[in-house]
Amino acid sequence: QVQLVESGGGSVQAGGSLRLSCSASRFTSSNYYFVMGWFRQAPGKEREGVASISTWNSNTRYADSVEDRFTISHDNKNITYLQMNSLKPEDTAMYYCAAFRSTGLPVLDANRYNSWGQGTQVTVSS
């Protein structure tokens, strides 16, 4: 498992942008590759997979609800980003970063992930 810390949440008006960051520590070897994911959960709703990226080959996968608005990326400093553009009030949620060790495909199934951050709140007003 790795330790994950999210940052970058906040309040923004509809149509605005935010960039979330997820810093991963305790990567014990540069030979390890992970699938990283961003999930969100709004009050009274189920957790939803938003975006995922393979640090092995940078393949990505997105939920239909954020396709063409959100972009997930990963840098060589073990930071995973979620660029969120054209934000909508329905994007309001607590956003979580997650990871599991794999060289496989990115996935939006939360059950595959075994490391989670504490979350960062995103609020979009109309």
Side-chain angles (χ1 to χ4, degrees):
Q1 292 188 344
V2 297
Q3 292 180 336
L4 303 172
V5 179
E6 304 97 334
S7 62
S11 297
V12 64
Q13 289 190 330
S17 298
L18 284 173
R19 188 177 78 160
L20 306 183
S21 299
C22 172
S23 179
S25 63
R26 294 177 58 187
F27 278 26
T28 59
S29 167
S30 61
N31 292 324
Y32 289 169
Y33 291 93
F34 289 78
V35 171
M36 306 295 298
W38 284 100
F39 294 78
R40 66 186 182 186
Q41 188 166 21
K45 294 187 177 181
E46 293 186 354
R47 182 171 49 190
E48 174 189 19
V50 174
S52 177
I53 186 169
S54 166
T55 65
W56 167 252
N57 57 15
S58 297
N59 281 350
T60 59
R61 183 170 182 176
Y62 296 93
D64 291 342
S65 58
V66 306
E67 187 81 56
D68 298 328
R69 298 190 299 121
F70 290 10
T71 302
I72 188 171
S73 60
H74 182 83
D75 69 12
N76 57 8
K77 297 181 180 179
N78 294 327
I79 300 176
T80 301
Y81 301 97
L82 185 68
Q83 178 67 44
M84 305 185 295
N85 299 328
S86 301
L87 282 162
K88 305 175 181 180
E90 52 263 43
D91 294 319
T92 296
M94 184 71 79
Y95 282 70
Y96 298 91
C97 178
F100 67 96
R101 184 179 168 188
S102 175
T103 57
L105 295 173
V107 296
L108 299 179
D109 179 1
N111 293 320
R112 298 288 304 277
Y113 293 79
N114 57 15
S115 295
W116 292 82
Q118 294 300 307
T120 184
Q121 178 67 38
V122 171
T123 302
V124 184
S125 58
S126 58

